[in-house]
Amino acid sequence: MSLEQDLVTRAVQGDADAFAELYESNFDRVYRYLYVRLGNQAEAEDLTQEVFAKVLEAIGSFQWRNAPFASWLFRIAHNKMIDYIRREKRIERVDSDETVLSLDDPDPAEIAEHNLQLEKVRHNIGRLSPAQREVIWLRFGAGLSTTEVASALGKSTGTVKALQYNGIASLRKLMEQSS
Amino acid sequence: MTHELHELFDQYVDRLISGEETTACVVQDLDLSEVLGPLLETSTLVVQQLGAVEPSPEFRQAARTRIRSLFFSRLAHKESRPGFLFMWWQRRWVTAMATALVVCLAGMGLLAASVDSLPNGFFYPMKTATEQARLTLALSDLDRAQLQLEFAESRLDEMTTMAGRGDSDTVILLAGEVTQLVAQMCTGALFESLDIDSEISEVLAARSAAGSDLSLEEVLSMDRAGALQLLQYVIVSAPPELQPAIERLMEALSRDFDASISLIESSA
């Protein structure tokens, strides 16, 4: 049994420490995924909390079936986001309101530069095909492995690798065009 | 070659995501370097930009406090439930009664199925009533899901037979029942964690909004697409015992809808 499998099994059985560890190791990347998708800090914060509340509610029924825990977690995050978008009847924002960056030196000019670059990247990812976009968000935004992305999206790893390759190639072209 | 390129690129992306310096990700092969170099440059930019997004410390702290309190309130709720022995006794009694009923009803159902199992048949209402009773008395969520898949397959068989007789109204009715059964299974406790209620509502709403202006082929295609979409959502998370039945139904959906459409068309 892998370390993650052991952790998830203990969390499923109600072990508070195991759940806390899973929470801490996934919190930032769930937030990041939602933030880069929605482009709004307040919405990303609300949804991150909703995602973990749902995880807590549902983890008792989680069963390990060769699908990594992250796939299950990010399927919940994805579904929560889609529900939210439908509920609010809005489209994913291309431009964000503000950005929280982990910069060591909080120089305003540097932050502004980062914000501009991030918005450019987000904007152009938003112009990719839905499948390419989803792979890029999960792989580069959430940092999932190819296997985890494949399992979360119900696709083969070969397809995910092809979408990733073609997505980045298209993104490069779009970035060149927009600069 | 394309496959190898995707594979190699993926390995470099893995290294980038794990925090390796860009300079360390130099493609050894010069030919590939020309192709992959620019893509790795873009990948590095994406990793750097998206990776820099972090929740604020205040939010992190507030969220941690909230989840901790949720965790302990759930724990407290769990511990306030009736004792294990009472639950065990209750379950044993219910199981015995349910088993007896299911045996009787299954017998009736088999009779109905063997005598006349088609929608316009005399025993058909008994068959569907038996199915409902079996669903109500299912002992577990898994049993219930298996029954729903079994009944959906049965509706597909009936649909093809009725299509062969040129009864397009009944065919449409049965196609709708297949979608209903699949939707019911997907809303069951087994797939609660998937949170696909909105997708299910969308499929059902589209079906009920389908007007008489749609052709038979359009209605059937809509039912097939809706049912397949829902099954694709749940199959990854389905218990291993359920997966073969889901796969079988997915195959049957593709096969029987096509067969029904062509049967109706040929009988028209």
Side-chain angles (χ1 to χ4, degrees):
Chain A
M1 192 185 278
S2 72
L3 197 67
E4 192 198 32
Q5 218 165 334
D6 173 57
L7 199 62
V8 173
T9 308
R10 286 195 291 121
V12 168
Q13 289 161 354
D15 183 329
D17 290 340
F19 183 81
E21 211 172 321
L22 278 177
Y23 173 84
E24 293 294 344
S25 58
N26 287 291
F27 184 79
D28 281 16
R29 58 182 186 163
V30 167
Y31 172 82
R32 187 176 305 127
Y33 169 73
L34 292 167
Y35 178 83
V36 295
R37 296 287 313 254
L38 294 162
N40 179 291
Q41 188 183 340
E43 289 173 336
E45 288 181 352
D46 285 349
L47 280 182
T48 304
Q49 297 199 75
E50 278 188 35
V51 168
F52 282 101
K54 180 75 190 171
V55 168
L56 181 60
E57 187 190 313
I59 198 161
S61 60
F62 175 81
Q63 286 174 9
W64 199 279
R65 289 184 218 101
N66 299 322
F69 174 75
S71 311
W72 181 74
L73 172 67
F74 277 89
R75 216 178 296 126
I76 291 178
H78 174 79
N79 290 339
K80 278 276 171 209
M81 191 199 60
I82 298 295
D83 280 351
Y84 177 78
I85 287 172
R86 282 187 190 141
R87 197 168 65 225
E88 298 296 312
K89 292 188 174 54
R90 77 159 180 77
I91 53 163
E92 285 177 59
R93 273 182 205 168
V94 172
D95 304 310
S96 68
D97 53 348
E98 53 185 309
T99 310
V100 179
L101 295 169
S102 59
L103 298 175
D104 295 332
D105 178 15
D107 173 15
E110 203 181 333
I111 291 176
E113 175 60 26
H114 265 271
N115 285 352
L116 275 173
Q117 274 291 353
L118 175 62
E119 282 323 298
K120 193 175 157 191
V121 171
R122 281 190 65 249
H123 175 82
N124 286 309
I125 293 175
R127 293 166 68 193
L128 298 175
S129 77
Q132 287 175 348
R133 205 159 58 202
E134 195 59 47
V135 168
I136 304 291
W137 291 137
L138 287 170
R139 190 90 167 98
F140 292 82
L144 298 194
S145 70
T146 313
T147 315
E148 289 169 335
V149 174
S151 179
L153 299 180
K155 296 184 192 297
S156 70
T157 51
T159 307
V160 169
K161 285 173 190 171
L163 285 166
Q164 172 181 260
Y165 183 92
N166 295 326
I168 290 292
S170 305
L171 182 62
R172 184 170 180 82
K173 280 183 200 150
L174 290 168
M175 301 277 286
E176 281 169 357
Q177 282 166 13
S178 64
S179 60
Chain B
M1 185 59 195
T2 312
H3 175 73
E4 284 161 14
L5 206 59
H6 295 167
E7 188 65 49
L8 190 60
F9 179 64
D10 185 58
Q11 287 168 18
Y12 279 115
V13 170
D14 262 343
R15 290 166 63 179
L16 277 175
I17 290 172
S18 66
E20 235 179 89
E21 286 293 319
T22 329
T23 46
C25 284
V26 175
V27 184
Q28 302 291 321
D29 189 322
L30 280 176
D31 293 339
L32 287 178
S33 157
E34 274 181 29
V35 183
L36 291 184
L39 298 189
L40 284 171
E41 203 180 286
T42 305
S43 302
T44 306
L45 177 73
V46 177
V47 167
Q48 281 171 352
Q49 293 301 321
L50 301 188
V53 174
E54 273 192 0
S56 69
E58 297 78 26
F59 167 60
R60 198 183 271 130
Q61 186 54 43
R64 195 179 285 139
T65 308
R66 184 170 177 259
I67 198 78
R68 201 175 288 149
S69 94
L70 265 178
F71 186 92
F72 288 110
S73 70
R74 284 185 68 83
L75 200 67
H77 175 71
K78 219 183 239 178
E79 281 171 358
S80 66
R81 283 180 186 171
F84 174 74
L85 273 175
F86 171 73
M87 295 292 281
W88 174 80
W89 174 83
Q90 199 183 39
R91 182 172 290 199
R92 201 173 155 205
W93 183 83
V94 171
T95 306
M97 283 298 290
T99 309
L101 268 167
V102 165
V103 168
C104 290
L105 289 167
M108 285 161 65
L110 277 176
L111 172 72
S114 63
V115 176
D116 193 348
S117 63
L118 289 173
N120 52 7
F122 182 76
F123 286 103
Y124 193 75
M126 191 193 284
K127 181 185 176 183
T128 50
T130 309
E131 286 179 357
Q132 280 308 313
R134 287 176 69 194
L135 283 176
T136 310
L137 295 169
L139 295 177
S140 68
D141 296 323
L142 180 65
D143 287 347
R144 189 169 300 111
Q146 272 166 338
L147 285 173
Q148 280 157 338
L149 289 170
E150 184 193 314
F151 299 155
E153 240 187 316
S154 179
R155 288 302 90 81
L156 282 176
D157 285 343
E158 292 160 13
M159 183 180 82
T160 320
T161 311
M162 298 313 284
R165 296 181 182 186
D167 186 346
S168 55
D169 289 344
T170 310
V171 167
I172 289 176
L173 209 69
L174 290 167
E177 282 183 26
V178 172
T179 311
Q180 281 282 353
L181 280 161
V182 170
Q184 277 168 18
M185 186 202 69
C186 295
T187 47
L190 276 183
F191 304 109
E192 207 176 19
S193 60
L194 287 182
D195 209 9
I196 52 167
D197 292 352
S198 53
E199 282 81 0
I200 296 169
S201 315
E202 215 166 77
V203 167
L204 293 177
R207 180 51 155 89
S208 60
S212 53
D213 52 325
L214 292 183
S215 69
L216 175 102
E217 191 179 346
E218 284 169 324
V219 176
L220 293 195
S221 300
M222 183 195 288
D223 277 318
R224 173 174 47 193
L228 277 173
Q229 185 196 339
L230 295 180
L231 291 172
Q232 271 157 1
Y233 278 129
V234 299
I235 192 165
V236 191
S237 322
E241 308 93 295
L242 199 63
Q243 284 181 357
I246 296 180
E247 278 164 13
R248 209 171 43 240
L249 183 62
M250 286 169 87
E251 277 170 25
L253 277 166
S254 308
R255 187 188 58 231
D256 293 350
F257 273 84
D258 279 339
S260 297
I261 291 167
S262 52
L263 280 168
I264 288 280
E265 278 171 356
S266 62
S267 67

